[in-house]
Amino acid sequence: MKGIILAGGTGSRLYPLTRSISKQLLPVYDKPMIYYPLSVLMLAGIREILVISTPLELPLFERLLGDGSRLGLEITYAEQPVPRGLADAFLVGADHIGDDEVALILGDNIFHGPRFSEVLRRHARNIDGCVLFGYPVTDPERYGVGETDADGRLISIEEKPAHPKSDRAITGLYFYDNDVVDIARGLRPSARGELEISDVNQVYLDAGKAKLVDLGRGFAWLDTGTHNSLMDAGQYIQILEHRQGVRIACLEEVALRVGFIDIDTCYRLGEESANSGYGQYVMDIAVRAGSAHLTPQLARKGTP
């Protein structure tokens, strides 16, 4: 499976913060926003990832992430000069997808929950159609909403319905089989001139090939498109990290846990920013996992 992070758009709802920088490069507590969706793709076992953004901002993402090799990834980049809709990502990324399945995630979405990697990997296998991820919300009229039958099958999708049939909002994470490229090619722009992801999903639904995975109790799904939601997301990450002593979406740790890099590589990556708490955390993760860099002094302390 290939991965795509859509990190374009103008971020106009976050002005003036986004007048000089991409929304997806803003900090969410202690990390750039794009770390969070990138970590989700990594947890799903995806190594080949395309970042789509504007021509002006792509060099900034490249400076931050490089080619991904330091994390055991292959990261490439593609331009979307103007917003043309979420489904346009499959046209921009057609060569990247090739003959494979694809996971699309929006660059401003944050997911966190128990055994999330297991959930992702289970539903990323042998996809026949599309897999959507639903999350219960108190205001479903603001979202695309998925309705399921008594057996949990997806039977309808409504965009911002006045009278929602369900409280399951469809999140910004989507798994598709390879047919999605041809489906996107066959779409007509909506009234706002964009290729809508909801139209892609409807094609799969009409064919009986759309599945909704319920991210229910214990999971968190946050978007960061407004000042308040950006602040809420930062506070959520801060509270969890301080109370649990972990760092959510630490890319080096994720890469180590899923086997993309080895222990010593993880330690060296931490050393690169050893003066920061983040670097110290990465080094500590490697030490706890048994790094060869664990000196007698560090062994006595139990931490770098």
Side-chain angles (χ1 to χ4, degrees), residues 2 12 26 48 81 121 153-154 197 203 213-214 218 245 264 267 284:
K2 303 290 180 61
S12 58
L26 292 174
E48 297 175 64
R121 289 174 180 258
R153 294 179 301 173
L154 186 63
I197 198 73
V203 171
V213 176
D214 187 16
D264 289 346
Y267 189 92
D284 185 48

Side-chain angles (χ1 to χ4, degrees), residues 31 34 50 80 84 131 137 151 176 202:
K31 292 170 289 294
I34 197 171
L50 176 69
Q80 188 186 52
R84 293 192 294 259
V131 178
V137 295
D151 297 321
Y176 296 99
Q202 190 64 47

Side-chain angles (χ1 to χ4, degrees), residues 38 99 122 129 135 145 166 176 183 212 252 255 259 269 275 293:
L38 178 54
D99 297 326
R122 181 168 66 252
Y135 186 80
V145 175
S166 163
Y176 296 99
I183 291 172
L212 185 68
E252 294 82 358
L269 292 176
N275 289 333
H293 292 85

Side-chain angles (χ1 to χ4, degrees), residues 6-10 22 24 51-62 78-83:
L6 188 55
T10 62
S22 167
Q24 291 83 8
V51 177
I52 299 176
S53 190
T54 67
L56 181 64
E57 291 162 335
L58 273 181
L60 302 178
F61 288 105
E62 291 189 64
E79 296 181 357
Q80 188 186 52
V82 295

Side-chain angles (χ1 to χ4, degrees), residues 115-190:
R115 297 182 296 279
F116 193 30
S117 182
E118 296 175 18
V119 173
L120 294 170
R121 289 174 180 258
R122 181 168 66 252
H123 293 289
R125 290 194 296 264
N126 302 317
I127 294 176
D128 180 21
C130 76
V131 178
L132 310 176
F133 294 84
Y135 186 80
V137 295
T138 57
D139 50 354
E141 64 277 0
R142 295 181 51 233
Y143 302 92
V145 175
E147 179 193 8
T148 58
D149 63 15
D151 297 321
R153 294 179 301 173
L154 186 63
I155 57 175
S156 75
I157 300 173
E158 298 178 291
E159 282 298 316
K160 299 181 179 179
H163 304 286
K165 299 176 182 178
S166 163
D167 66 350
R168 292 306 189 264
I170 295 174
T171 70
L173 173 64
Y174 317 86
F175 290 174
Y176 296 99
D177 64 17
N178 194 255
D179 291 342
V180 72
V181 177
D182 288 336
I183 291 172
R185 288 193 179 114
L187 294 181
R188 293 184 178 181
S190 65

Side-chain angles (χ1 to χ4, degrees), residues 29-296:
Y29 184 49
D30 57 349
K31 292 170 289 294
M33 187 185 298
I34 197 171
Y35 272 39
Y36 297 90
L38 178 54
S39 72
V40 171
L41 297 183
M42 293 170 67
L43 287 171
I46 299 171
R47 289 178 179 263
E48 297 175 64
I49 297 168
L50 176 69
V51 177
I52 299 176
S53 190
T54 67
L56 181 64
E57 291 162 335
L58 273 181
L60 302 178
F61 288 105
E62 291 189 64
R63 181 180 177 185
L64 175 66
L65 302 173
D67 64 3
S69 59
R70 61 202 301 273
L71 294 170
L73 305 174
E74 296 179 25
I75 299 179
T76 53
Y77 302 87
E79 296 181 357
Q80 188 186 52
V82 295
R84 293 192 294 259
L86 304 188
D88 185 54
F90 305 117
L91 305 185
V92 174
D95 289 341
H96 169 71
I97 297 169
D99 297 326
D100 292 320
E101 300 163 332
V102 61
L104 172 67
I105 189 168
L106 305 188
D108 61 356
N109 274 219
I110 295 174
F111 295 84
H112 181 255
R115 297 182 296 279
F116 193 30
S117 182
E118 296 175 18
V119 173
L120 294 170
R121 289 174 180 258
R122 181 168 66 252
H123 293 289
R125 290 194 296 264
N126 302 317
I127 294 176
D128 180 21
C130 76
V131 178
L132 310 176
F133 294 84
Y135 186 80
V137 295
T138 57
D139 50 354
E141 64 277 0
R142 295 181 51 233
Y143 302 92
V145 175
E147 179 193 8
T148 58
D149 63 15
D151 297 321
R153 294 179 301 173
L154 186 63
I155 57 175
S156 75
I157 300 173
E158 298 178 291
E159 282 298 316
K160 299 181 179 179
H163 304 286
K165 299 176 182 178
S166 163
D167 66 350
R168 292 306 189 264
I170 295 174
T171 70
L173 173 64
Y174 317 86
F175 290 174
Y176 296 99
D177 64 17
N178 194 255
D179 291 342
V180 72
V181 177
D182 288 336
I183 291 172
R185 288 193 179 114
L187 294 181
R188 293 184 178 181
S190 65
R192 59 178 184 170
E194 296 188 358
L195 301 181
E196 306 290 352
I197 198 73
S198 57
D199 291 339
V200 171
N201 297 337
Q202 190 64 47
V203 171
Y204 281 107
L205 180 63
D206 291 343
K209 291 186 174 183
K211 179 179 182 179
L212 185 68
V213 176
D214 187 16
L215 298 178
R217 192 165 182 167
F219 274 87
W221 169 55
L222 306 164
D223 71 46
T224 51
T226 67
H227 295 99
N228 285 338
S229 61
L230 180 62
M231 181 67 72
D232 289 344
Q235 291 176 338
Y236 174 83
I237 300 299
Q238 180 191 32
I239 290 170
L240 280 185
E241 291 191 352
H242 280 213
R243 290 186 177 178
Q244 298 182 0
V246 300
R247 290 191 182 244
I248 298 168
C250 173
L251 299 184
E252 294 82 358
E253 180 179 12
V254 174
L256 177 63
R257 301 300 189 205
V258 299
F260 291 175
I261 61 174
D262 60 29
I263 295 170
D264 289 346
T265 299
C266 181
Y267 189 92
R268 288 195 298 271
L269 292 176
E271 280 187 311
E272 293 177 5
S273 54
N275 289 333
S276 70
Y278 185 92
Q280 287 290 320
Y281 176 82
V282 172
M283 294 166 67
D284 185 48
I285 289 296
V287 167
R288 293 177 187 275
S291 173
H293 292 85
L294 182 58
T295 66

